[in-house]
């Protein structure tokens, strides 16, 4: 709709409250919409329903006790969150991580990323009214959860990484199961492409909708697949590589137009790349220790330090200020969805409400991560 | 106009291809499990709530009441009661309680125990009518009618 | 963009960018600003195609320190800007980097720092009921000195107020 019509105050408007309990907001997010008929004139997100003050908890306990918390911000891809946190501590304390542990970390993190993308795929299409893909997505995701459960002991909030390594070693069964899964997943991607990517209804509902320009993405600090959909090949795994990522051979898929369809395509291609990474990490997996020696007591030095990793939704940064004790003075977690959601007010102005749902789905939001 | 017809053609084709996929899947065996009539076997590595390990020699607990686990727990859900019987040098465990309502199943307690006196249980079917049901007396569970240190 | 290029550009504003030990601190450069310089520098960073990674605050003595981290999409180059929010006030940058809108509202929730020029200071994460409650603000007895945590260079004679020695600090 033309924006001039919005300036016309005489037109009848009404307020629509979307959420906090709305399936399309993926968590408890409330959107206050000012509507002109079917069009969104103004949008105001209300956050904080799932706020737990993780940053305060971090200031109130020794750093090892915060590890379980990191898994509970983005519960769909908890391992990258573990990864960033242990990496930061390892950096501050100068702890060496055995190579086997690094390979395990990367393989499991990427498995987790695939699981997260699969759930997003299902939920996104569910938002658009397609029910079938979520069932297929869950079937595949279940395989990943089974593999991860077998080594980590839990299915969602893993707390699997430890400073200096991982909590439990992997065995041949893990390697075998993962290889079987990769084979299966490659075939399944074909099914997804047939079922979704080429589907005319899906294309009509996503193409040209919610276009994020590179300039807008920069102003809002958008990261992850949402940024790559706009054509910027920015991925922490490549630009600021950590762990064994520099040695791995993978590509960063990018889109060109920055609309919902491109964001979708980038994530589907990312699944493919993640499978490649897992394969390589498994090939590399050396014998040896899975948990190196880490000092029992690590004092966090009195200065600021940050560490960035690529979580499933974008750039995750832990910023920590120590105070010469094992309790951090301040821990800031920069969560990707926070910035990714903040542009929604600008992005969705003048949009049909049905398209707003499509945009929300394509941004891949996890609200508890935003609220922390 | 030609765009319209090619849209129509490709669109219909894409829908039929999609239907083909679902039709093929329909003929495949079910992937879900009819719980509770069927259950899956849980991996031995599953991290359930913690449990005291029984000492094979005495049948009691391996715990030396050092309190490491209680101190390491991020949610303060472990409380340990011990007493020193007269004439004995070592403290003995008289109670080990877990407030499972707050436990985050992180496993830090298991890792911090110097004597490996705690382990994960395999229980995952946990449901109850009241909060109190999850204030677990682990020592009592270990004893289950004898062998404990009382 | 390299460290030297940015240092030269900022030199035009008579600011000296300090190199930071990346291995230890995770950033390449570090800059301690005064409040009146902030918007100018941030505007420059926008023009140079930086993006705002996050903005946060650290509760310190004599005043809370705001930390803005910027990075680039094309090369690896992280920069921290720091400035002290004297009197719990600081200029907004939310009209330059729109991402800052929510960060500033969050900092206002958690630390009670008001951003002058930001028209929307409603609570974001906390609720209206929590007005006046700032969970991350440290109590007097546990609040650390900025010098001790490396947020300010060790001054010979510490003085409060706007006159802070600037520039010569290594974060590491
Ligand atoms: S598993 Fe974690 S939360 Fe639960 S009792 Fe052990 S240390 Fe505490
Ligand atoms: S750490 Fe082990 S030995 Fe020590 S109190 Fe806990 S269970 Fe007992």
């Amino acid at each position: 709709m033309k924006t001039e019509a919005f300036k016309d105050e005489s037109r009848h408007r009404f307020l629509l409250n979307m959420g906090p309990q709305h399936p399309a907001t993926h968590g408890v997010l409330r959107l206050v919409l000012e509507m002109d008929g079917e069009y969104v004139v103004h949008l105001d997100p209300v956050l904080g329903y799932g706020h737990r003050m993780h940053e305060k908890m971090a200031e109130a306990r020794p750093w090892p006790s915060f590890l379980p918390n990191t898994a509970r911000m983005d519960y769909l891809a908890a391992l990258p969150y573990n990864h960033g946190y242990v990496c930061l501590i390892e950096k501050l304390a100068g702890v060496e991580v055995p190579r086997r542990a690094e390979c395990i970390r990367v393989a499991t993190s990427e498995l987790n990323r695939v699981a997260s993308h699969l759930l997003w795929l299902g939920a996104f299409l569910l938002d658009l009214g397609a029910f079938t893909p979520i069932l297929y997505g869950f079937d595949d995701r279940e395989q990943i959860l089974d593999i991860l459960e077998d080594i980590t002991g839990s299915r969602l909030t893993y707390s699997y990484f430890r400073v200096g390594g991982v909590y439990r070693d992997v065995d041949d069964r893990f390697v075998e199961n993962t290889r079987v899964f990769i084979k299966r997943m490659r075939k399944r991607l074909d099914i997804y492409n047939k079922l979704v990517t080429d589907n005319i209804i899906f294309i009509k509902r996503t193409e040209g909708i919610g276009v994020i320009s590179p300039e807008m993405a920069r102003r809002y600090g958008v990261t992850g697949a949402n940024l790559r959909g706009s054509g910027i090949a920015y991925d922490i795994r490549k630009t600021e590589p950590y762990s064994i990522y520099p040695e791995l051979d993978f590509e960063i898929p990018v889109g060109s137009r920055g609309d919902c369809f491109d964001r979708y395509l980038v994530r589907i291609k990312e699944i493919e790349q993640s499978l490649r990474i897992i394969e390589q990490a498994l090939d590399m997996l050396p014998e040896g220790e899975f948990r190196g020696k880490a000092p029992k007591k690590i004092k966090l030095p009195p200065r600021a330090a940050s560490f960035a990793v690529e979580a499933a939704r974008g750039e995750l940064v832990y910023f920590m200020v120590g105070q010469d004790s094992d309790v951090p003075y301040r821990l800031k977690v920069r969560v990707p969805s926070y910035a990714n959601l903040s542009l929604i007010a600008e992005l969705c102005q003048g949009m049909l409400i049905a398209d707003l749902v499509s945009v929300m789905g394509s941004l891949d939001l996890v609200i508890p991560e935003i609220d922390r | 106009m030609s765009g319209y017809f090619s849209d129509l053609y490709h669109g219909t084709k894409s829908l039929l291809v999609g239907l083909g996929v679902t039709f093929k899947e329909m003929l495949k065996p079910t992937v879900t499990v009819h719980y509770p009539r069927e259950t899956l076997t849980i991996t031995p590595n599953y991290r359930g709530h913690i449990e005291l390990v029984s000492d094979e020699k005495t049948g009691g607990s391996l715990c030396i009441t050092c309190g490491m686990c209680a101190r390491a727990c991020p949610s303060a859900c472990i409380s340990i009661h011990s007493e020193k019987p007269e004439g004995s040098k070592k403290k003995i465990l008289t109670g080990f309680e877990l407030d499972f309502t707050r436990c985050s199943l992180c496993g830090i307690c298991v890792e911090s125990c110097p004597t490996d006196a705690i382990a994960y249980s395999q229980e995952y079917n946990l449901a109850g009518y009241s909060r109190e049901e999850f204030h677990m007396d682990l020592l009592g569970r270990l004893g289950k009618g004898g062998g404990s240190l009382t | 963009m390299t460290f030297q290029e940015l240092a030269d550009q900022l030199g035009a504003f008579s600011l000296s960018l300090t190199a930071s030990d990346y291995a230890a601190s995770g950033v390449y450069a570090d800059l301690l600003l005064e409040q009146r310089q902030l918007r100018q520098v941030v505007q420059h960073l926008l023009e140079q195609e930086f993006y705002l990674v996050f903005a946060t605050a650290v509760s310190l003595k004599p005043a809370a320190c705001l930390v803005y981290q910027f990075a680039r999409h094309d090369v690896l180059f992280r920069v921290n800007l720091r400035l002290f929010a004297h009197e719990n006030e600081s200029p907004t940058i939310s009209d330059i980097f729109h991402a800052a809108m929510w960060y500033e509202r969050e900092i206002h929730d958690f630390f009670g720092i008001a951003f002058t020029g930001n028209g929307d200071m409603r609570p974001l994460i906390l609720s209206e009921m929590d007005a006046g409650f700032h969970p991350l603000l440290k109590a007097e007895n546990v609040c650390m000195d900025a010098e001790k945590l490396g947020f300010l260079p060790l001054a010979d004679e510490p003085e409060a107020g706007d006159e802070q020695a600037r520039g010569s600090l290594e974060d590491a």
Side-chain angles (χ1 to χ4, degrees), chain A residues 68, chain B residues 47-50 69-70 72-78 98-100 102-110 112 118 120:
Chain B
R47 293 201 321 228
H49 68 75
I50 54 167
C69 52
C73 175
S75 330
C77 25
I78 302 176
L98 169 71
D99 181 357
F100 188 59
R102 289 193 298 187
C103 173
S104 51
L105 297 171
C106 62
I108 292 176
C109 51
V110 177
S112 64
I118 30 188
Y120 305 106

Side-chain angles (χ1 to χ4, degrees), chain A residues 61 64-65 68 72 132 136 139 149-154 157-159 162 167-168 188 191 194-195 198-201 204 291, chain B residues 7 11-12 14-15 17-18 21-22 24-25 28 31 42-47 72-75 104-108 111 120:
Chain A
R61 58 191 62 197
S65 299
R72 281 162 175 80
T132 322
Y136 295 173
D139 183 13
E149 183 187 18
D150 199 25
I151 54 162
T152 68
S154 50
T157 48
Y158 303 105
S159 316
R162 294 286 189 271
Y167 145 77
R168 185 191 272 136
R188 298 283 287 194
I191 291 185
K194 274 190 191 153
L195 195 64
D198 300 332
N199 188 301
I200 184 80
I201 306 174
K204 291 270 176 211
R291 193 168 177 181
Chain B
D7 250 20
T12 319
S14 76
L15 294 183
V17 170
V21 170
T22 41
K24 249 200 231 144
E25 291 292 311
K28 286 191 184 158
V31 292
I42 288 292
T43 151
N45 294 339
Y46 181 73
R47 293 201 321 228
C73 175
S75 330
S104 51
L105 297 171
C106 62
I108 292 176
E111 272 176 36
Y120 305 106

Side-chain angles (χ1 to χ4, degrees), chain B residues 5 53 111:
Chain B
F5 283 112
V53 177
E111 272 176 36

Side-chain angles (χ1 to χ4, degrees), chain C residues 10 13 15 31-46 52 55 66-68 70 80-84 89-97 100 104 115-116:
Chain C
L10 290 176
F13 303 133
L15 289 168
L31 187 60
L32 183 61
L33 291 169
E34 278 172 39
Q35 291 203 353
R36 59 185 163 77
Q37 298 162 327
L38 175 72
R39 288 179 58 85
Q40 193 185 15
V41 172
V42 169
Q43 182 69 42
H44 180 76
L45 291 178
L46 178 74
L52 178 65
L66 294 168
V67 181
Y68 299 90
F70 291 90
N80 273 358
L81 301 188
R82 289 172 293 122
L83 86 159
F84 284 87
E89 253 186 28
S90 181
T92 181
I93 60 163
S94 62
D95 50 338
I96 305 171
F97 278 99
E104 287 180 359
F115 290 86
T116 43

Side-chain angles (χ1 to χ4, degrees), chain A residues 212-231:
Chain A
I212 303 176
S213 69
E215 182 268 337
M216 183 178 176
R218 197 176 309 117
R219 262 191 295 122
Y220 279 100
V222 176
T223 48
N226 298 332
L227 177 70
R228 297 192 277 274
S230 304

